[in-house]
Amino acid sequence: MKYLLHVLSYLCILTTVASCDKFTDIHKEYIEGGEIIYAVKPDSAVFIAGKERLMMRLWMENGQNIKEVIVSWNSGQDSMVLPMKLKPGRDSIEVPLNDLEEKSYSFNIYTMDNFGHRSLTYTTFGTTYGDTYASILQNRRVKKISLTDQAGVVDWFAKAEGMIFNEVKFINRRGTDTIVRFSADAFSVNMEVAGSAEFQYRSLYIPEAEAIDTFTTAWTLSPEKFPEFFSYDRSTWEVLSVSDETESDGGGKKTLIDGNLSSYWHSQWDPNNVDPPHWAIIDMKKEINITHFTIYRRGGNTDAKTAQFFLGNTSDPNGAWTLAGEGVFGSGDMLKVDNTGNATGRYLKIYLPDSNRPPFTAIAEVYAFGK
């Protein structure tokens, strides 16, 4: 029995040795000549878009023994060899690839070290842009053009994808050619222009985030000029007093200069009606040169009839005032009144001597214009 056990043990050992020989035969072709050593592979790489070019940014970890980096594209038909001298730890290089056709590329990158070892291949992608991309770009659309005593204002519609800046070109009030650049995130731009001024504009784009080149549209002349007359800024104005009011109806005297045509100053009504004339005193904070006024009565309401404008240097409704001009409302809600009396002054008195539906009147907004 003991002899049989010895024989079986011997046969098992022979079987194991034979199996190991077959296993090593499978790997024999791969280990001939010794162990394969690879150079350090690029840690990461990106190709940043440009105009018929790309910028390669490549990062390496512990690449101090790397002798060169080889980059190939167009299925290996094009390539470049970059001599390297990298620092220990994490280091990077930045290299431009110029004169590239506008299209998407696949790049294969590997390294060679000082001992002749090659790294595994790192594959990534990049896209160049050119005339085809530029041909689809459009200027940002102008929404509104206005003029104040401070500046010309251009309001814009929303920006297009890839738009980063806009530029306007004009002659300023001193006669100097001027270009103003502003972020595409802004919806308006102020320009130091006189009345009736023209301007040109264009938009600037990048095709991808962090692109190294900017594409610009052609300069376009605005189809609309700035208005001949500017509207004075009323942000500091103050309505000091009125003859009477019903504040609960429309909002009261402050609404005369709030920029909202839906709110209005309404004369007093039942049970204590006040007969015309009705009036309001506005402090414009300084004396200004006014060419004309526009006054809006309550929308859809024809109570207001005649409007007179007086200018002076007193806030006393019974003080010395100079008549600037007067007019009568027609069928619309807006009335323009010229300063035919060439009146001047810090204070403005709006005088409403009559009504189409006595004794009531209601005024929504008052503006003053200059040139």
Side-chain angles (χ1 to χ4, degrees):
M1 186 67 173
K2 183 183 293 186
Y3 175 77
L4 181 59
L5 291 174
H6 284 298
V7 171
L8 290 173
S9 298
Y10 180 72
L11 290 175
C12 287
I13 292 172
L14 289 177
T15 303
T16 301
V17 171
S19 298
C20 288
D21 286 342
K22 290 181 180 180
F23 181 80
T24 55
D25 287 345
I26 296 174
H27 298 86
K28 187 178 296 183
E29 63 176 298
Y30 299 103
I31 61 176
E32 288 181 359
E35 181 183 4
I36 298 176
I37 300 176
Y38 292 99
V40 177
K41 179 184 177 182
D43 181 60
S44 62
V46 295
F47 287 84
I48 304 172
K51 186 175 183 178
E52 297 178 348
R53 64 175 183 155
L54 291 165
M55 179 66 72
M56 181 185 76
R57 290 178 183 165
L58 181 143
W59 290 265
M60 296 283 297
E61 290 280 359
N62 300 317
Q64 61 269 24
N65 289 322
I66 296 302
K67 180 181 179 181
E68 57 192 21
V69 172
I70 296 88
V71 183
S72 65
W73 61 98
N74 286 336
S75 300
Q77 298 180 43
D78 296 294
S79 64
M80 64 179 181
V81 178
L82 305 172
M84 289 292 107
K85 192 172 183 180
L86 299 169
K87 299 176 183 178
R90 186 171 176 82
D91 200 2
S92 64
I93 62 170
E94 187 173 276
V95 180
L97 281 73
N98 298 315
D99 301 322
L100 295 176
E101 181 184 354
E102 181 180 11
K103 67 175 185 178
S104 295
Y105 292 86
S106 174
F107 294 93
N108 291 318
I109 308 169
Y110 65 91
T111 66
M112 297 293 294
D113 65 18
N114 293 320
F115 310 104
H117 303 136
R118 170 182 167 156
S119 74
L120 296 174
T121 300
Y122 182 98
T123 300
T124 189
F125 306 90
T127 302
T128 61
Y129 297 84
D131 292 341
T132 300
Y133 170 73
S135 68
I136 66 173
L137 303 180
Q138 296 182 340
N139 272 323
R140 191 172 186 176
R141 293 190 300 134
V142 175
K143 184 176 183 180
K144 179 183 176 183
I145 299 173
S146 58
L147 187 66
T148 72
D149 54 321
Q150 303 297 318
V153 181
V154 180
D155 295 320
W156 308 84
F157 285 101
K159 68 178 182 180
E161 183 180 358
M163 187 184 295
I164 55 171
F165 293 108
N166 294 280
E167 291 181 336
V168 288
K169 181 166 60 173
F170 56 95
I171 299 176
N172 65 23
R173 291 177 180 174
R174 298 180 300 278
T176 304
D177 288 332
T178 306
I179 295 178
V180 173
R181 173 180 288 190
F182 59 99
S183 170
D185 292 326
F187 281 85
S188 67
V189 61
N190 292 352
M191 302 159 58
E192 186 191 0
V193 294
S196 303
E198 295 181 326
F199 69 96
Q200 299 179 61
Y201 60 97
R202 68 177 181 178
S203 299
L204 289 75
Y205 289 81
I206 55 172
E208 296 178 6
E210 298 186 1
I212 56 175
D213 291 314
T214 302
F215 290 78
T216 59
T217 57
W219 285 107
T220 298
L221 179 65
S222 172
E224 182 182 351
K225 295 181 181 180
F226 281 98
E228 181 181 1
F229 301 96
F230 60 78
S231 173
Y232 277 104
D233 179 11
R234 304 175 302 161
S235 60
T236 61
W237 290 16
E238 181 182 2
V239 182
L240 299 178
S241 60
V242 292
S243 57
D244 60 286
E245 67 177 338
T246 303
E247 187 173 358
S248 61
D249 183 14
K253 62 179 181 290
K254 64 181 182 293
T255 64
L256 287 171
I257 53 173
D258 69 351
N260 182 3
L261 291 176
S262 296
S263 60
Y264 49 89
W265 161 52
H266 196 292
S267 63
Q268 190 168 312
W269 41 259
D270 294 338
N272 299 308
N273 296 339
V274 176
D275 292 327
H278 304 289
W279 52 262
I281 307 295
I282 298 175
D283 183 1
M284 300 183 294
K285 303 301 182 180
K286 63 181 179 180
E287 184 175 308
I288 57 178
N289 296 317
I290 298 174
T291 58
H292 66 276
F293 307 88
T294 58
I295 183 169
Y296 290 80
R297 59 187 174 189
R298 177 183 176 183
N301 181 287
T302 60
D303 289 355
K305 182 179 180 181
T306 304
Q308 296 177 332
F309 291 87
F310 293 84
L311 292 171
N313 292 307
T314 177
S315 60
D316 182 356
N318 298 314
W321 295 89
T322 301
L323 177 64
E326 66 177 293
V328 177
F329 280 97
S331 58
D333 294 331
M334 190 271 281
L335 170 65
K336 176 185 174 185
V337 177
D338 292 326
N339 183 7
T340 54
N342 295 319
T344 60
R346 167 176 169 170
Y347 297 93
L348 168 64
K349 180 167 76 169
I350 305 163
Y351 194 75
L352 306 164
D354 52 16
S355 170
N356 285 317
R357 188 170 68 100
F360 304 116
T361 194
I363 300 297
E365 210 72 27
V366 177
Y367 294 90
F369 294 84
K371 186 176 183 180

